[in-house]
Amino acid sequence: MASYRPVDALCTRLDLRKVADLVGQGGDQRDISATGASAANLVCAVTVGRLPGGVVVTLRADFGAPDSGRLMYDGLRQVQQDSQPVTELTGIGAAAYTYTDAATGVTVATYDANLYLTVTAAPLRPGADLPEDVVAGLSAAAFSALNALRA
């Protein structure tokens, strides 16, 4: 069974080429991490592209006990599908889905073993539309994060 662990400088390990192909190169990045007695969290925020069409991609990785990723995934997925449509995705982690939230943007959520992972894209300019294929770009970023975090 796979296992995942936090890493330094997660932003530098993400494959954001598909997002950059949609909105252009450029931007900055910030890594934030927090650890506790039984869990660890990493957050990475990257600006891809520039105004008016650029996006902020935020990745959040939550680490816990073995199989804890599924518990978070199942609970949060239920909340999402109760408030808006979700779409199943294949080929990322043990299971994955995507949804769009008017306040936060487009999110890809996945889990595998002890990891629950979300990757979200929000427009730099509030109210702007996101590129049509942004889910493919976020899926590629999630896949690269799973590879970078695998123990």
Side-chain angles (χ1 to χ4, degrees):
M1 173 182 260
S3 178
Y4 297 86
R5 49 62 186 126
V7 297
D8 292 331
L10 178 59
C11 283
T12 64
R13 300 170 187 228
L14 296 180
D15 182 354
L16 296 170
R17 289 176 294 187
K18 285 190 177 182
V19 176
D21 287 348
L22 298 171
V23 299
Q25 299 291 327
D28 62 22
Q29 57 193 35
R30 182 180 337 180
D31 284 292
I32 302 165
S33 63
T35 56
S38 63
N41 310 91
L42 293 177
V43 177
C44 169
V46 180
T47 302
V48 183
R50 303 197 187 287
L51 286 171
V55 298
V56 175
V57 175
T58 305
L59 181 138
R60 180 180 173 103
D62 295 292
F63 305 85
D67 295 323
S68 62
R70 182 182 182 112
L71 294 174
M72 286 185 73
Y73 178 89
D74 288 344
L76 292 170
R77 186 183 194 294
Q78 185 63 48
V79 169
Q80 292 304 327
Q81 71 186 33
D82 286 349
S83 60
Q84 65 234 336
V86 301
T87 302
E88 296 293 322
L89 298 172
T90 59
I92 310 167
Y97 67 96
T98 186
Y99 64 93
T100 301
D101 182 289
T104 59
V106 175
T107 298
V108 168
T110 187
Y111 86 92
D112 195 21
N114 66 316
L115 175 66
Y116 175 72
L117 182 79
T118 59
V119 186
T120 302
L124 283 176
R125 188 182 64 194
D129 291 332
L130 290 167
E132 197 170 299
D133 291 337
V134 73
V135 170
L138 296 179
S139 296
F143 189 78
S144 68
L146 288 172
N147 287 332
L149 298 169
R150 190 161 290 140

